[in-house]
Amino acid sequence: MDWNEAYNWVIQNYQSLIDSNLITIFCLFILTFIFYLFKEEIKKHKKGLTSPQSSVTNPINIQVNKTVNEELKVVPVEEQKIKKHNNVPSSSNYFTGRFDVLNSLFKEDKKQEKSLICQVIYGPGGVGKSEIAKKYANDNKDKYNHLFWINAENTITIEENFYNIVNDLNINTVEKDFSEITNEIKNWLYNNSKWLIIFDNAENENFIKKYLPNGNGHIIITSRNSNWSGINSFYIDVLKKEEAVDFLANKINLDKHQNIKDLNNLAEILGFLPLALEQAGAFIKSKNINISEYINDFKEKNTTIFKEDKVQPCNTNIATTWQISFEKIKIEKPESIDFLNIIAFLSSDNINTIWFKDNFTNIDDIINILKRFSLIKQSTHNISIHRLVQMVIKDSIIDKTTQKEQIETAINLISKIFKFEPDKIKTWKNTSSFIPHVESLKEYIEQFDIQTEQAAYIINEAGSYYNAQGNYKKAFNFYNRALIIKEKILSNDNHPSIAESYSNIGNTYYARGNYNEALEYYNKTLGIREKILGENHQLTAVSYNNIGSIYKAQGQYEKALNIFFKAYDLLKKILGESHFSIVVSYENIGSVYNVQGQYEKALNFYFKALDLKEKELGINHPDTAATYNNIGSIYNTIGKYKDALDFYFKALDIRENVLGLNHPSIVTSYNNIAHVYDNQGNHKQSFKLYSKAYEKLKKKFGKNHPNTLSVKENIEHFNKKHK
């Protein structure tokens, strides 16, 4: 008898069961039957015959882009496996000692099993703070479900690491800026357990605290800063004598007991500083010399350094170890010193060796010898150099003129390989790898007042990168520094390159809503171009378009339309109507017709622009997205809401995938989509997006920026409309 037969029998014999006082048996059958139904329902779910309804709705539940569709897919629990995240670098094979600190970092007792542990490892440079964190993490990796290593040197490195984390943890990033992604990561950590997150090289508590999560996990921070309130901190000093001796014996591969005297002497001379011990050990092993020879050389160089006052006394020991290595390397492979003199002025991490192929034909040999002496570390094509090594290299160049020459060499090298091409999206990631190095060089350019064409070039290119990323304040700073250099090296104040800088600075003012300042720089640009290039030059037309954009922003539509057509006629005359450069005129003229209510004319020009952009730039370019957005705005105005959403979501999808979630244009998309939702009667979703757009704009540009005020007006109108 199967369950169906049992069920039928109970129904047919219900009365006889009661009469026979067999109610217990009856109850048993009923319970069994209920269990049967429950079991069958479970089977159906497992087979996918039924799908559970979710009470959670996506903020933009009608979006058609791929990311959201994938996010809304119902995934069985057993498939939602998050791979174990572990990006902690390997620890040194020669790590020695520090047992007291390692044992204190994490105590597995019942009181701490369900709480957050936050600890700081702090101390001066070169004592091995990062190595201790790596050693602890690698030795205890089985205790944690996830291990995260965050380069906390600055905001850029933290952002890069956080974006890698969200990918591994399957955290949804759609419609979220970096602050929201940070909160998503913190929420995930709060709701999960047994994780370790290491913030390496954090500057101070105020900088790092906004990134620190809560929950059942373990945070380790390494820092040179000693001021950490309310956090369990461990001061890391130099190694104990016994630890230092053990380290040297392992590094050099010597019998400790047979060489104890020399090992003790060397450890003592080096002040038991791990980084100095590492350098000395690598040198002795590489040159296959005995310790006493090295000590004699060290004492000679150490005295010289003190006399010449190249470095501060506290850094003398470690400086001496490197000086010894530098001199031997100079004999063995002189080009290696030239290479070090260049990278000393770059950012310390992610230095791509491919950049140096043209300048150093034997770059692989150079990298190998520097690795052999433990002066650099390598990962694939990228190398890193300790900041203290950079400091000693720079301090060893006493003559300021020589220092300046080395900086200019680094600038010239970067200028040959660094180029930002805003129209080629695929190159943006490669471009971003240069930015920390240009940032570093910019400091030296300002410090040494370097006035060269190459210096102006790399700073201007970095400004264009920041401008494309929507970081207009930083773009302005870089553009302005480039202008200062150009004004000093160019004898003619009316040089086209000066005009280019004026135009770039004007663009940053325009983007930030400072229209009067923007117009001032645009007019300066036009004055130079009309004088030097003439009224019939393509760049003169660019200036016309820029000035017209200011008039349009100020509401002077007829004035704007006249100058836009002036640019259009000029470009059509010198380039032809099918040339890509004319696309800006199509866009600008269409925008004025749009605000004037001449929608048919506006659409005509917008679709002309779109046709050229899709052919020249492709359908996934931010400039193409801008045209999708403009067309969507007209469809929204004339009541074609489905078409409006189609174009708005095309624009949003491109902006999210190409520009990133922090770009200001993302907010424009939110605002526009919210407007359509409101017109469709989807008021809840509309208000949600309006509010999100307003908060993002206020945070990025301030409450008085024209775009912020525009969204605020939309919210006020929304509230009045739906009281």
Side-chain angles (χ1 to χ4, degrees):
M1 180 183 291
D2 63 17
W3 292 108
N4 287 321
E5 291 173 340
Y7 168 72
N8 292 331
W9 186 87
V10 169
I11 297 301
Q12 293 169 5
N13 296 281
Y14 171 80
Q15 189 59 47
S16 61
L17 284 170
I18 296 297
D19 294 342
S20 305
N21 293 320
L22 294 176
I23 190 64
T24 302
I25 298 174
F26 170 73
C27 291
L28 178 62
F29 270 109
I30 293 298
L31 288 172
T32 304
F33 176 64
I34 292 172
F35 174 76
Y36 163 70
L37 289 179
F38 180 68
K39 183 177 179 182
E40 287 299 303
E41 191 66 16
I42 290 174
K43 286 181 180 178
K44 288 181 181 179
H45 282 294
K46 285 186 175 180
K47 291 178 180 178
L49 297 177
T50 64
S51 45
Q53 293 184 345
S54 172
S55 60
V56 180
T57 57
N58 189 273
I60 307 180
N61 54 16
I62 64 170
Q63 185 167 351
V64 296
N65 72 48
K66 182 179 178 182
T67 305
V68 172
N69 283 340
E70 289 181 347
E71 183 210 351
L72 293 177
K73 181 177 66 176
V74 177
V75 181
V77 174
E78 61 266 26
E79 292 179 11
Q80 296 177 342
K81 293 181 180 178
I82 298 172
K83 65 180 180 180
K84 182 171 183 175
H85 183 103
N86 183 0
N87 68 325
V88 177
S90 301
S91 52
S92 171
N93 293 330
Y94 304 104
F95 187 93
T96 307
R98 306 297 196 186
F99 300 114
D100 52 343
V101 179
L102 291 171
N103 291 333
S104 299
L105 281 174
F106 191 64
K107 296 178 180 179
E108 292 182 296
D109 56 51
K110 292 182 180 179
K111 292 181 180 179
Q112 292 178 310
E113 278 182 356
K114 295 183 179 180
S115 63
L116 177 70
I117 302 169
C118 186
Q119 297 159 317
V120 176
I121 304 172
Y122 73 95
V127 295
K129 301 179 294 294
S130 299
E131 288 301 322
I132 292 172
K134 292 176 192 174
K135 178 67 174 174
Y136 171 80
N138 283 289
D139 285 356
N140 296 277
K141 61 185 178 183
D142 292 337
K143 295 178 182 177
Y144 301 100
N145 294 330
H146 299 278
L147 299 93
F148 308 95
W149 182 274
I150 308 295
N151 181 348
E153 183 178 354
N154 53 54
T155 304
I156 294 173
T157 58
I158 291 177
E159 283 190 16
E160 182 180 352
N161 288 165
F162 271 28
Y163 279 119
N164 290 335
I165 288 174
V166 296
N167 290 333
D168 276 359
L169 300 184
N170 295 333
I171 293 176
N172 173 35
T173 60
V174 176
E175 304 168 13
K176 296 181 178 71
D177 60 20
F178 180 65
S179 63
E180 291 172 310
I181 288 175
T182 299
N183 288 332
E184 287 287 346
I185 292 174
K186 290 165 74 173
N187 288 337
W188 187 94
L189 293 170
Y190 180 80
N191 291 309
N192 289 271
S193 60
K194 293 186 177 180
W195 45 260
L196 168 66
I197 183 167
I198 298 170
F199 291 93
D200 184 49
N201 198 32
E203 183 178 348
N204 55 55
E205 183 177 352
N206 289 333
F207 170 73
I208 202 68
K209 64 183 181 182
K210 61 185 174 184
Y211 302 109
L212 300 182
N214 289 310
N216 178 16
H218 189 184
I219 301 170
I220 296 176
I221 301 167
T222 71
S223 177
R224 295 188 186 188
N225 196 307
S226 61
N227 297 317
W228 298 88
S229 58
I231 301 178
N232 192 15
S233 302
F234 301 93
Y235 174 70
I236 306 300
D237 204 345
V238 296
L239 291 171
K240 296 174 183 177
K241 184 176 182 179
E242 184 68 20
E243 293 175 337
V245 168
D246 287 342
F247 178 89
L248 281 172
N250 290 334
K251 182 71 179 178
I252 306 172
N253 195 22
L254 290 177
D255 183 280
K256 173 182 172 181
H257 299 291
Q258 290 181 6
N259 298 273
I260 189 65
K261 185 177 179 180
D262 285 342
L263 289 168
N264 276 329
N265 287 341
L266 181 56
E268 205 165 310
I269 287 171
L270 297 177
F272 312 118
L273 185 68
L275 197 55
L277 297 168
E278 167 79 17
Q279 297 300 317
F283 182 90
I284 293 168
K285 185 176 181 179
S286 173
K287 303 306 294 181
N288 194 25
I289 62 174
N290 59 52
I291 295 176
S292 58
E293 288 181 73
Y294 184 88
I295 290 175
N296 291 333
D297 200 5
F298 180 91
K299 286 179 178 178
E300 182 182 336
K301 298 295 187 302
N302 189 268
T303 304
T304 305
I305 287 173
F306 263 121
K307 284 181 180 178
E308 295 179 357
D309 193 27
K310 293 181 181 179
V311 296
Q312 297 298 318
C314 62
N315 295 318
T316 300
N317 285 345
I318 196 165
T320 305
T321 64
W322 283 320
Q323 287 296 339
I324 294 171
S325 296
F326 296 156
E327 292 193 7
K328 296 300 180 184
I329 290 172
K330 190 174 184 179
I331 295 171
E332 189 172 332
K333 191 165 286 296
E335 313 96 290
S336 301
I337 300 300
D338 296 332
F339 178 77
L340 285 174
N341 287 340
I342 293 175
I343 67 174
F345 296 97
L346 301 178
S347 177
S348 61
D349 294 318
N350 297 321
I351 302 169
N352 195 323
T353 57
I354 295 175
W355 300 343
F356 302 88
K357 291 286 187 182
D358 292 339
N359 292 66
F360 298 93
T361 54
N362 56 347
I363 186 65
D364 293 335
D365 294 336
I366 291 173
I367 298 303
N368 287 332
I369 191 172
L370 295 179
K371 282 166 58 182
R372 183 154 50 89
F373 281 88
S374 291
L375 289 168
I376 61 171
K377 293 182 179 179
Q378 184 178 25
S379 174
T380 316
H381 292 300
N382 286 339
I383 62 169
S384 62
I385 180 170
H386 199 284
R387 293 167 190 80
L388 288 180
V389 181
Q390 289 180 305
M391 181 199 72
V392 171
I393 294 170
K394 288 179 284 191
D395 285 346
S396 68
I397 308 173
I398 310 171
D399 183 58
K400 293 295 181 184
T401 301
T402 306
Q403 267 198 353
K404 187 174 181 180
E405 289 173 356
Q406 295 295 346
I407 295 166
E408 289 179 348
T409 300
I411 291 169
N412 293 342
L413 185 143
I414 294 297
S415 69
K416 292 176 183 177
I417 52 180
F418 173 45
K419 184 177 182 180
F420 178 62
E421 300 176 278
D423 292 340
K424 297 180 180 179
I425 301 299
K426 292 181 179 179
T427 67
W428 285 21
K429 186 174 182 180
N430 180 56
T431 301
S432 67
S433 65
F434 288 94
I435 297 302
H437 304 292
V438 178
E439 289 264 14
S440 178
L441 289 171
K442 180 174 178 283
E443 291 182 17
Y444 296 112
I445 289 169
E446 294 171 353
Q447 179 184 341
F448 287 84
D449 193 24
I450 294 175
Q451 302 170 17
T452 65
E453 182 182 342
Q454 291 81 4
Y457 170 78
I458 65 171
I459 290 178
N460 190 78
E461 291 297 290
S464 296
Y465 171 81
Y466 282 124
N467 189 62
Q469 296 294 322
N471 193 340
Y472 304 121
K473 185 176 180 180
K474 204 148 195 176
F476 171 82
N477 290 334
F478 275 76
Y479 282 148
N480 196 51
R481 172 52 59 177
L483 174 62
I484 290 171
I485 297 172
K486 289 178 182 181
E487 287 176 333
K488 289 180 179 178
I489 63 176
L490 297 173
S491 56
N492 183 4
D493 290 340
N494 291 321
H495 195 281
S497 185
I498 299 286
E500 177 199 27
S501 287
Y502 286 156
S503 183
N504 289 338
I505 291 171
N507 290 341
T508 65
Y509 276 127
Y510 174 80
R512 290 183 289 171
N514 300 324
Y515 300 132
N516 291 333
E517 290 85 350
L519 186 59
E520 178 187 347
Y521 276 90
Y522 285 157
N523 279 325
K524 282 183 178 182
T525 307
L526 179 61
I528 294 174
R529 286 173 174 171
E530 285 184 331
K531 183 176 181 179
I532 302 300
L533 304 176
E535 293 185 359
N536 293 321
H537 195 277
Q538 182 180 345
L539 290 177
T540 305
V542 171
S543 290
Y544 292 154
N545 273 322
N546 288 342
I547 293 170
S549 297
I550 299 295
Y551 291 147
K552 175 178 172 281
Q554 293 175 331
Q556 303 181 61
Y557 301 126
E558 286 302 323
K559 206 171 182 180
L561 196 60
N562 287 336
I563 199 165
F564 282 153
F565 268 110
K566 187 175 183 179
Y568 171 63
D569 291 338
L570 174 56
L571 290 172
K572 189 168 62 172
K573 176 183 175 182
I574 61 178
L575 299 174
E577 197 154 5
S578 61
H579 194 278
F580 180 69
S581 295
I582 210 166
V583 74
V584 178
S585 290
Y586 289 151
E587 203 87 60
N588 289 337
I589 294 169
S591 69
V592 177
Y593 282 140
N594 185 14
V595 295
Q596 289 181 328
Q598 301 185 61
Y599 302 124
E600 188 175 339
K601 286 184 178 180
L603 279 175
N604 178 43
F605 277 94
Y606 279 155
F607 275 110
K608 283 183 178 182
L610 182 62
D611 182 56
L612 286 178
K613 285 185 178 182
E614 287 183 335
K615 288 177 181 176
E616 184 74 19
L617 304 176
I619 60 173
N620 292 316
H621 194 281
D623 285 351
T624 309
T627 306
Y628 288 149
N629 184 79
N630 292 336
I631 293 171
S633 71
I634 293 181
Y635 282 138
N636 180 43
T637 303
I638 62 179
K640 293 185 176 182
Y641 302 129
K642 185 180 181 301
D643 292 333
L645 284 175
D646 285 345
F647 278 93
Y648 279 156
F649 277 122
K650 281 183 180 181
L652 178 62
D653 189 41
I654 295 169
R655 288 165 172 172
E656 286 178 340
N657 292 323
V658 177
L659 299 176
L661 301 173
N662 288 320
H663 198 276
S665 64
I666 296 287
V667 183
T668 301
S669 289
Y670 292 161
N671 180 71
N672 293 340
I673 293 168
H675 197 193
V676 181
Y677 281 154
D678 188 26
N679 289 336
Q680 287 182 320
N682 194 346
H683 307 311
K684 184 178 179 181
Q685 300 287 37
S686 175
F687 183 75
K688 205 170 187 177
L689 282 177
Y690 273 143
S691 301
K692 194 168 191 174
Y694 177 70
E695 291 302 322
K696 286 176 180 289
L697 284 170
K698 187 170 68 170
K699 183 176 180 181
K700 191 167 187 70
F701 297 119
K703 63 182 180 180
N704 294 320
H705 188 279
N707 289 351
T708 312
L709 293 172
S710 177
V711 177
K712 185 180 179 182
E713 287 177 10
N714 287 342
I715 293 174
E716 290 172 350
H717 176 73
F718 180 93
N719 288 333
K720 288 179 183 178
K721 182 178 176 182
H722 303 294
K723 273 186 177 180

